[in-house]
Every structure is written in structure tokens, then in C-alpha cells.
Amino acid sequence: YLTYTPNSTVIPTITYGDTLYGGNTLSNQVSDMENQNIDVLAATNADYFSSQTLVPMSTAIVDGKILTKDASGQDAVGILEDGTAFISYVYFNSVLTREDGSEVNIYNINKYRQPYAAYLLTPEFSDTTRNTTKGFDVILGSIEGEMKLGEKITAVVESVTENSSAIDIPQGKMVLTVDANAPEEFL
């Protein structure tokens, strides 16, 4: 374990590499930080991750930005601006509201799509959706707002396609993706 007392010369930092999918080794992350002239004193893996995708299993929020969200809440480690660490239960709702006012729960953000829910993917996930099964992909563009707790995002549907493989996640856009075998409420 690491023991740390908040101070002005040692600053806890969370890093994950270029994208969430495929993971990144601690040694690569340390090298990346050292290449930015950041001295690394200690490093540790902060989450369990999928052995298939290497995406963190739980919710990950960095600098207030939601990187991943799991369908269920979990205990998590947090770091305040002054470097103080804490452990707390994290759970929040993410809901898509259609123009007609109907709502769809988005249980997972930046997770590998499974046939039981709607998933929202951003370029932080990967350059593609990584889907391998039949499903529906909705490209969302003209995004206003930030992917942060308590923030509202608006977007415009640019396309809706049915695919049996991965599609690109364009920079500056998001993809809402649902497996063809998902419950009717998500289709």
C-alpha cells in the first residue's frame, strides 16, 4: 500500500493512456508521464478491469469528466484538488431523453457492448465501437455540454445504422449502441 500526506510538491494523478479499450501498462504510463517531465514516485493499478477488453470494470471519473460508467454503483477512490484521497460509494443515473420526451437509461458508458442495455461510447473508449454482434448504432453529433456529473448534454442524431461489426467513433462525436438482442425498452 501507499501512504501519502497531501502537500504542494507531490500531486496524485490518474492516467489511462490514449484510449480505455486495450488498456495500458503501468510502465508505459510511467514512461508517458516522465516524457512530460513529471517525476513518478509510485504507481498502482486503481481498478479491476475486464480481461477481454482491459477497460476498467467500474466507474472512472478524471478531472470531473466521466470516462466510464458501470450499470451498478460501486465503492471508488477519489482524489480532491488538494490531493486528499477518500473512498465513497459512487452511483449516478444517465438518461437519454428523446425529442418526444420518452427516456432510455444509459447504464454503461465506454464499456464493451453486451445484449442487455444501451451503451454510450466516446472517442476515449476506442477508435471504433469494437462490436462483433448485430446491433444498432446511432452517431450523435453537434454535441453541446460536457460529459460531467450534473451536466446536461444535447446532441443531434446524424445517422442510425444496423451493423454486425464495429463502426468508427468519430472525434467530437458519440455513438449510442444497442445489441439487436437487447430488451425491447432499449430498441
Side-chain angles (χ1 to χ4, degrees):
Y1 66 89
L2 300 173
T3 301
Y4 163 76
T5 301
N7 62 75
S8 61
T9 59
V10 178
I11 302 166
T13 303
I14 298 171
T15 182
Y16 61 91
D18 295 328
T19 60
L20 296 160
Y21 188 95
N24 197 350
T25 64
L26 279 177
S27 59
N28 282 345
Q29 291 180 51
V30 167
S31 293
D32 289 346
M33 296 189 81
E34 288 173 341
N35 289 338
Q36 298 172 48
N37 294 321
I38 299 171
D39 294 322
V40 178
L41 300 176
T44 183
N45 181 32
D47 193 2
Y48 292 104
F49 50 87
S50 163
S51 60
Q52 178 185 6
T53 67
L54 302 181
V55 173
M57 297 292 281
S58 63
T59 298
I61 301 170
V62 176
D63 294 330
K65 185 175 184 174
I66 301 165
L67 294 178
T68 65
K69 177 188 184 267
D70 191 58
S72 61
Q74 296 176 331
D75 289 321
V77 174
I79 301 171
L80 300 174
E81 285 186 37
D82 70 356
T84 304
F86 65 94
I87 297 174
S88 181
Y89 185 78
V90 175
Y91 178 78
F92 59 92
N93 288 321
S94 45
V95 178
L96 171 93
T97 305
R98 297 179 180 121
E99 277 187 314
D100 67 4
S102 62
E103 295 182 340
V104 174
N105 285 313
I106 305 298
Y107 291 114
N108 297 284
I109 297 172
N110 287 334
K111 304 284 186 168
Y112 185 73
R113 186 182 78 191
Q114 301 293 317
Y116 59 81
Y119 290 73
L120 185 64
L121 304 177
T122 70
E124 284 87 7
F125 174 72
S126 179
D127 56 346
T128 74
T129 60
R130 304 287 177 163
N131 296 332
T132 59
T133 59
K134 185 176 178 183
F136 304 94
D137 298 309
V138 180
I139 303 286
L140 302 171
S142 302
I143 298 167
E144 294 182 20
E146 293 186 74
M147 183 78 82
K148 292 188 171 186
L149 291 175
E151 296 284 327
K152 182 178 182 176
I153 296 174
T154 59
V156 175
V157 173
E158 292 185 353
S159 67
V160 179
T161 57
E162 186 174 356
N163 300 293
S164 293
S165 61
I167 65 165
D168 288 343
I169 302 174
Q171 287 297 318
K173 300 182 190 286
M174 294 185 274
V175 178
L176 180 66
T177 185
V178 180
D179 190 280
N181 292 317
E184 184 67 32
E185 68 184 279
F186 297 107
L187 300 175

